[in-house]
């Protein structure tokens, strides 16, 4: 009887012919004009930011202090002219209170319990400033100021609108963020998007420093038709 040879992986590999796998691209399929296909997620969508220009920083080189700026390139208002907006959503977090301009990445927590568990504070303790401060991330729907329709891709009732992200921290959180949170608790309990707001800025002095702060004023409620349109945006 012939002996059965033990399996030798190295010998088997050497004897086996090299195999290659060819990846064949799928056949091109006709697509409907104006459509996008594929796995599209939130990371693929870019929403511009809204900022208020201060006396220092990159924006101060391009715009006057107090100006309300979209996407770091479009002046929505010099600060005195109201910008009409609707608050769509808001998210509160706590961010580490580190010096402005540092390369260090601040820690961010979603709850006060997480801050305390990390040994952080949100109040002054023994003349030591809080190690964390509240921040409100707000998504707004802006009504295009006169002459800026080109910057707003949405349309309702013959007017142009556009989305923007607005981050409120420090005095901006105190002046505007708390207004939004208070409205959500009482007058806008049925949804932030039911409310109409106007945003301007004003200059305030804190010690030796002057800062332009947001002035956010609730001007009533949106119409049911507008609310229905807003609900269908996302």
């Amino acid at each position: 009887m012939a002996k059965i040879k033990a399996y030798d992986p190295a010998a088997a590999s050497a004897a086996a012919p090299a195999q290659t796998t060819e990846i064949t691209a799928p056949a091109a399929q006709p697509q409907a004009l104006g459509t996008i296909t594929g796995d599209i997620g939130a990371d693929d969508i870019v929403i511009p930011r809204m900022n208020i220009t201060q006396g220092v920083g990159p924006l101060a080189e391009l715009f006057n202090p107090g100006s309300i700026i979209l996407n770091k390139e479009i002046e929505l208002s010099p600060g005195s002219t109201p910008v009409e907006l609707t608050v769509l959503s808001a998210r509160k977090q706590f961010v580490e209170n580190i010096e402005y301009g540092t390369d260090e990445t601040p820690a961010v927590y979603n709850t006060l319990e997480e801050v305390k568990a990390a040994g952080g504070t949100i109040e002054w303790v023994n003349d030591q400033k809080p190690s964390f401060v509240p921040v409100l991330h707000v998504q707004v729907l802006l009504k295009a100021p006169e002459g800026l329709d080109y910057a707003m891709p949405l349309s309702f009732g013959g007017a142009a609108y556009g989305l923007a992200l607005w981050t409120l921290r420090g005095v901006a959180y105190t002046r505007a963020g708390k207004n939004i949170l208070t409205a959500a608790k009482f007058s806008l309990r049925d949804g932030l998007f039911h409310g109409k707001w106007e945003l301007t800025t004003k200059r305030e002095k804190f010690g030796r420093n002057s800062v332009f702060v947001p002035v956010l004023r609730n001007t009533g409620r949106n119409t049911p038709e507008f609310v229905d349109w807003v609900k269908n945006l996302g």
Side-chain angles (χ1 to χ4, degrees):
M1 179 182 295
K3 293 184 178 180
I4 300 176
K5 296 182 180 180
Y7 175 71
D8 186 348
S13 176
Q19 297 182 1
T20 59
T21 302
E22 294 184 0
I23 300 176
T24 304
Q29 299 293 327
Q31 298 181 15
L33 186 64
T35 63
I36 296 178
T37 59
D39 189 1
I40 309 301
D43 292 342
D44 299 306
I45 308 301
V46 178
I47 300 178
R49 287 197 163 272
M50 183 172 69
N51 298 95
I52 295 175
T53 306
Q54 299 297 333
V56 296
L59 287 180
E61 300 176 3
L62 303 173
F63 304 98
N64 292 326
S67 300
I68 303 171
I69 308 301
L70 179 66
N71 203 33
K72 298 183 179 181
E73 59 184 16
I74 299 172
E75 182 181 285
L76 299 174
S77 166
S80 55
T81 305
V83 174
E84 298 181 38
L85 61 87
T86 295
V87 177
L88 301 181
S89 62
R91 181 186 183 190
K92 181 181 178 181
Q93 291 184 308
F94 297 89
V95 62
E96 190 176 6
N97 192 15
I98 60 178
E99 294 296 330
Y100 175 78
T102 180
D103 293 333
E104 184 180 354
T105 301
V108 180
Y109 295 110
N110 293 321
T111 67
L112 182 56
E113 287 73 17
E114 292 175 344
V115 172
K116 292 180 178 179
T121 62
I122 62 168
E123 298 177 348
W124 284 82
V125 178
N126 298 326
D127 294 329
Q128 295 294 320
K129 68 180 182 180
S131 55
F132 284 81
V133 295
V135 60
L136 196 67
H137 305 286
V138 185
Q139 183 172 340
V140 300
L141 180 68
L142 303 170
K143 184 177 181 180
E146 185 177 356
L148 292 180
D149 289 13
Y150 70 91
M152 308 289 180
L154 305 174
S155 178
F156 176 83
Y161 292 84
L163 298 173
L165 299 177
W166 187 24
T167 298
L168 303 173
R169 174 180 172 172
V171 67
Y173 176 87
T174 302
R175 294 290 189 272
K178 289 186 176 182
N179 285 357
I180 296 172
L181 297 176
T182 302
K185 181 71 173 179
F186 298 104
S187 62
L188 299 178
R189 293 180 63 180
D190 53 346
L192 283 169
F193 45 79
H194 286 274
K196 298 170 61 177
W197 302 83
E198 287 186 349
L199 174 64
T200 56
T201 65
K202 70 175 181 178
R203 184 177 182 180
E204 290 191 4
K205 196 167 185 179
F206 299 89
R208 297 180 179 180
N209 299 321
S210 292
V211 178
F212 281 89
V213 301
V215 179
L216 187 63
R217 184 169 66 93
N218 184 260
T219 59
R221 295 175 67 87
N222 288 312
T223 65
E225 295 78 13
F226 185 87
V227 170
D228 289 340
W229 174 69
V230 167
K231 289 180 178 179
N232 290 316
L233 288 177

